[in-house]
């Protein structure tokens, strides 16, 4: 998680009115607390600690016997597209946790569809978090190749939303 992601998270927490948010990822744990001081201004405290330092040492147990599963035949994997095919595309990821919407309202047209050309700064979707509807703007220009999330479905932070061909 880089500094920009942390700053965006702080802004989101401040707007939401939450007093404390804890985020644990595989290598980092972040706690954000907002407390109004005497002047009414909110002070934001951020604590970022590596998770490895916080985990207690647990005794190692013997693994339980497992059942072996059959391995897929090589022919079954040949039908998948080669990873180099998708590597030329840019993935637009969710900047927050919430509900993903492809249109501004139930009776409004979609923001983007497969084949739509987008430019940097254009609104591509809305993510609702805690009753706030956040317009998500594209950080890249290109053509939408694939939409990876269904409308009105929950999304996680950093979950891929779109594949974009930048050429």
């Amino acid at each position: 998680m880089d500094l920009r992601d942390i700053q965006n998270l702080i802004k989101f927490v401040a707007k939401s009115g939450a007093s404390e948010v804890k985020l644990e990822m595989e290598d980092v744990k972040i706690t954000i607390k907002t407390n109004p001081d005497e002047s009414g201004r909110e002070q934001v405290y951020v604590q970022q600690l590596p998770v490895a330092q916080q985990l207690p040492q647990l005794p190692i147990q013997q693994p339980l016997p497992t059942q072996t599963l059959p391995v897929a035949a090589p022919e079954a994997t040949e039908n998948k597209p080669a990873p180099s095919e998708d590597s030329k595309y840019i993935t637009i990821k969710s900047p927050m946790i919430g509900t993903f919407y492809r249109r501004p309202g139930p009776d409004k047209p979609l923001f983007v569809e497969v084949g739509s050309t987008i430019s940097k700064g254009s609104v591509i979707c809305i993510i609702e978090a805690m009753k706030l509807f956040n317009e998500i703007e594209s950080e890249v220009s290109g053509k939408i190749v694939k939409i990876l999330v269904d409308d009105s479905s929950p999304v996680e932070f950093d979950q891929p939303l779109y594949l974009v061909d930048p050429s």
Side-chain angles (χ1 to χ4, degrees):
M1 182 171 234
D2 64 5
L3 182 60
R4 195 173 125 250
D5 293 333
I6 294 171
Q7 289 172 337
N8 287 337
L9 185 60
I10 291 170
K11 289 177 188 174
F12 174 71
V13 171
K15 286 181 185 177
S16 71
S19 61
E20 182 176 343
V21 173
K22 292 183 181 182
L23 174 68
E24 292 187 34
M25 297 168 59
E26 54 194 39
D27 58 342
V28 174
K29 178 181 177 182
I30 297 175
T31 302
I32 300 173
K33 296 180 182 179
T34 57
N35 296 325
D37 62 10
E38 296 81 37
S39 65
R41 272 190 6 233
E42 285 196 351
Q43 297 178 342
V44 178
Y45 302 96
V46 177
Q47 174 187 10
Q48 181 173 352
L49 301 171
V51 173
Q53 294 178 356
Q54 298 176 0
L55 296 177
Q57 294 292 334
L58 299 175
I60 299 174
Q61 297 178 346
Q62 292 293 339
L64 297 174
T66 58
Q67 193 176 11
T68 57
L69 299 174
V71 178
E75 301 83 46
T77 59
E78 290 177 9
N79 294 338
K80 294 182 181 177
S84 61
E85 220 174 272
D86 286 346
S87 65
K88 66 181 177 180
Y89 301 132
I90 297 172
T91 304
I92 297 177
K93 297 180 179 182
S94 175
M96 64 183 66
I97 297 171
T99 305
F100 172 83
Y101 293 105
R102 293 185 55 202
R103 57 183 82 226
D107 56 340
K108 306 284 186 194
L110 297 171
F111 286 113
V112 293
E113 299 180 53
V114 173
S116 297
T117 302
I118 59 171
S119 58
K120 189 173 183 176
S122 61
V123 178
I124 55 173
C125 66
I126 289 179
I127 296 183
E128 176 198 2
M130 297 172 43
K131 306 286 185 199
L132 294 174
F133 291 86
N134 303 284
E135 290 185 343
I136 307 304
E137 297 178 352
S138 174
E139 294 181 0
V140 297
S141 297
K143 184 177 178 181
I144 300 287
V145 176
K146 189 171 186 180
I147 300 170
L148 305 170
V149 180
D150 293 328
D151 194 28
S152 302
S153 62
V155 293
E156 295 292 325
F157 172 76
D158 217 25
Q159 178 178 343
L161 302 175
Y162 297 99
L163 283 181
V164 178
D165 186 359
S167 56

